[in-house]
């Protein structure tokens, strides 16, 4: 089976497992795991942020960011396609007691004027507009990218309006790869950043939340109350460090392969349209997503039906050049 359902399906490679086996660990609830600390410090330095917090998932990391930076009765602004709104079980309401106001950006990429329209006046009967969450790349938008200039413009606007700005950077390394900029270029733009190491980078689990020292101190407590205080989590952090040191540059292979798949899909009369492919996600429209996914699965290619008419394919570390050839053959054969 060739599994293109998600870039989360990768399994740790032998050298990654080696790195995990040799990790120097301690009890991280006592702040005594040197490998977790090394990962948190490494990520903070990489993005020019003050501090980091290792979290078991990107969902928890996003949810902590919302909880740590809002009060009940606050409202966050995000795009209708974003993960925080769609795929985190309404956690913003459950954990933080906040509401959401949605923009309709281009493939999930919000413009400053769209964000501006969401800001509520200061009245008793309105929620308090507190925070803006952007996602780069936008999963549900087909892996669409915010450019550095777009992020800078949103950041400047949020500073002017006194709004907290969070980056859901589950796939920010994919964006940085295409933009050909270093993570350091984002320094100073965001109040908090969540990065996932378990997506394209191929670690088995783990996300890192970045922010200033005081925000991360509060976040540690929230992580604990959510049940995310882990003990010898250095074994996982070692996998994340390995991924950050070895699997970042190769993301361009995933991007090229996604584009190649999209180019073939575009030639098929059973494909109505393909969202522009910017990174490692291919979303295309068919008559019946379930049927198309089943036809592909019958020929050994697993995909995700993303709505009744949309199918998603995601390229990743364990999707090889040979698998690309096979996938293209299968698409031709349908
Ligand atoms: C995957 C993902 C997350 C977090 O997912 P987990 O499965 O909880 O690690 C957050 N945001 C985006 C955009 C994602 O794609």
């Amino acid at each position: 089976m060739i599994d293109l359902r998600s870039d989360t399906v990768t399994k740790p490679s032998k050298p990654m497992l080696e790195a995990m086996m040799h990790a120097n660990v301690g009890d991280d609830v006592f702040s005594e795991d040197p490998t977790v600390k090394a990962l948190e410090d490494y990520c903070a330095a990489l993005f020019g942020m003050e501090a980091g917090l290792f979290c078991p998932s990107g969902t928890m990391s996003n949810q902590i960011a919302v909880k740590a930076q809002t009060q009940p009765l606050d409202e966050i602004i995000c795009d209708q396609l974003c993960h925080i709104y769609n795929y985190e079980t309404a956690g913003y309401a459950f954990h933080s007691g906040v509401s959401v106001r949605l923009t309709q950006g281009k493939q999930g990429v919000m413009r400053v004027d769209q964000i501006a329209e969401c800001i509520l006046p200061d009245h008793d009967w309105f929620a308090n507009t507190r925070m803006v969450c952007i996602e780069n790349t936008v999963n549900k938008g087909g892996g669409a990218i915010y450019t550095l200039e777009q992020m800078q413009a949103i950041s400047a606007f949020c500073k002017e309006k006194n709004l907290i700005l969070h980056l859901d950077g589950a796939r920010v390394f994919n964006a940085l790869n295409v933009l050909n900029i270093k993570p350091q270029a984002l320094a100073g733009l965001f109040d908090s950043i969540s990065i996932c190491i378990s997506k394209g980078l191929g670690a088995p689990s783990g996300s890192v939340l970045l922010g200033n020292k005081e925000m991360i101190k509060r976040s540690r407590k929230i992580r604990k109350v959510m049940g995310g205080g882990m003990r010898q989590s250095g074994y996982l952090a070692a996998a994340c460090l390995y991924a950050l040191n070895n699997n970042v540059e190769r993301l361009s292979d995933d991007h090229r392969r996604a584009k190649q798949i999209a180019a073939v899909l575009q030639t098929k009369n059973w494909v109505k349209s393909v969202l522009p492919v910017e990174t490692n996600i291919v979303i295309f429209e068919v008559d019946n997503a379930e049927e198309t996914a089943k036809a592909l699965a019958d020929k050994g290619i697993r995909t995700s039906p993303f709505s009744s008419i949309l199918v998603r394919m995601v390229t990743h570390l364990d999707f090889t050049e040979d698998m690309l050839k096979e996938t293209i053959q299968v698409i031709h054969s349908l």
Side-chain angles (χ1 to χ4, degrees):
M1 265 297 193
I2 294 174
D3 200 342
L4 292 172
R5 285 173 303 162
S6 172
D7 46 6
T8 55
V9 300
T10 57
K11 293 181 183 158
S13 61
K14 278 224 163 64
M16 182 182 278
L17 286 169
E18 281 293 313
M20 295 170 76
M21 299 255 287
H22 294 110
N24 187 6
V25 300
D27 188 331
D28 188 54
V29 175
F30 294 157
S31 295
E32 282 174 7
D33 190 301
T35 310
V36 170
K37 277 208 181 110
L39 173 67
E40 291 171 344
D41 291 349
Y42 178 83
C43 292
L46 201 59
F47 284 85
M49 302 288 276
E50 278 180 21
L53 182 71
F54 187 45
C55 296
S57 71
T59 298
M60 188 184 288
S61 165
N62 277 335
Q63 290 300 319
I64 293 172
V66 173
K67 178 76 184 162
Q69 301 178 104
T70 59
Q71 299 287 328
L73 309 187
D74 283 350
E75 186 161 88
I76 60 178
I77 298 170
C78 53
D79 190 79
Q80 56 166 353
L81 295 185
C82 84
H83 197 277
I84 289 178
Y85 173 65
N86 288 288
Y87 299 124
E88 299 186 5
T89 334
Y92 55 87
F94 183 75
H95 296 297
S96 305
V98 302
S99 59
V100 226
R101 193 155 299 258
L102 303 171
T103 66
Q104 300 192 0
K106 190 176 173 211
Q107 288 179 256
V109 174
M110 306 189 276
R111 293 190 316 266
V112 168
D113 62 289
Q114 292 175 315
I115 296 171
E117 269 180 30
C118 291
I119 298 177
L120 297 170
D122 184 12
H123 283 306
D124 290 350
W125 53 88
F126 285 133
N128 307 309
T129 305
R130 181 74 58 209
M131 184 174 182
V132 175
C133 298
I134 76 165
E135 186 172 309
N136 200 7
T137 68
V138 188
N139 170 29
K140 218 170 153 61
I145 291 176
Y146 281 85
T147 64
L148 183 59
E149 293 69 30
Q150 286 170 316
M151 291 187 278
Q152 285 165 336
I154 291 173
S155 173
F157 176 77
C158 288
K159 281 182 184 146
E160 181 197 321
K161 299 290 177 189
N162 223 355
L163 297 171
I164 304 278
L165 182 58
H166 173 69
L167 170 63
D168 177 356
R171 294 190 181 80
V172 72
F173 286 98
N174 296 83
L176 296 170
N177 177 291
V178 172
L179 297 171
N180 197 21
I181 53 175
K182 297 241 172 337
Q184 191 71 37
L186 307 189
L189 297 185
F190 298 96
D191 296 287
S192 55
I193 300 179
S194 166
I195 58 173
C196 288
I197 330 280
S198 60
K199 297 271 162 86
L201 301 186
S205 176
S207 287
V208 179
L209 178 62
L210 303 170
N212 68 30
K213 284 197 179 120
E214 187 265 331
M215 183 267 181
I216 292 297
K217 187 164 186 281
R218 267 182 290 132
S219 296
R220 255 190 94 83
K221 196 161 208 154
I222 298 166
R223 184 185 66 174
K224 191 71 180 83
V225 78
M226 287 181 177
M230 297 183 285
R231 302 293 181 174
Q232 284 71 30
S233 41
Y235 291 113
L236 286 173
C240 292
L241 279 166
Y242 179 88
L244 287 163
N245 285 312
N246 294 279
N247 297 341
V248 172
E249 308 219 320
R250 61 152 306 284
L251 289 172
S252 39
D253 291 336
D254 295 344
H255 301 161
R256 171 180 52 79
R257 289 175 186 140
K259 281 205 166 77
Q260 284 174 267
I261 292 173
V264 176
L265 285 169
Q266 238 136 21
T267 67
K268 298 288 129 188
N269 58 12
W270 47 272
V271 175
K272 295 195 155 163
S273 63
V274 186
L275 275 187
V277 173
E278 297 181 37
T279 50
N280 67 329
I281 300 177
V282 183
I283 295 180
F284 59 99
E285 186 187 338
V286 292
D287 282 328
N288 183 322
E290 291 287 345
E291 273 174 22
T292 302
K294 181 161 187 321
L296 286 162
D298 286 345
K299 296 197 166 191
I301 315 284
R302 299 185 83 174
T303 58
S304 297
F306 224 42
S307 73
S308 59
I309 53 166
L310 297 177
V311 180
R312 186 186 75 163
M313 293 178 170
V314 189
T315 58
H316 54 73
L317 188 56
D318 292 352
F319 179 66
T320 63
E321 206 62 27
D322 283 343
M323 292 178 183
L324 172 69
K325 286 198 190 107
E326 165 118 23
T327 303
I328 288 174
Q329 268 178 10
V330 168
I331 293 170
H332 277 307
S333 75
L334 279 199

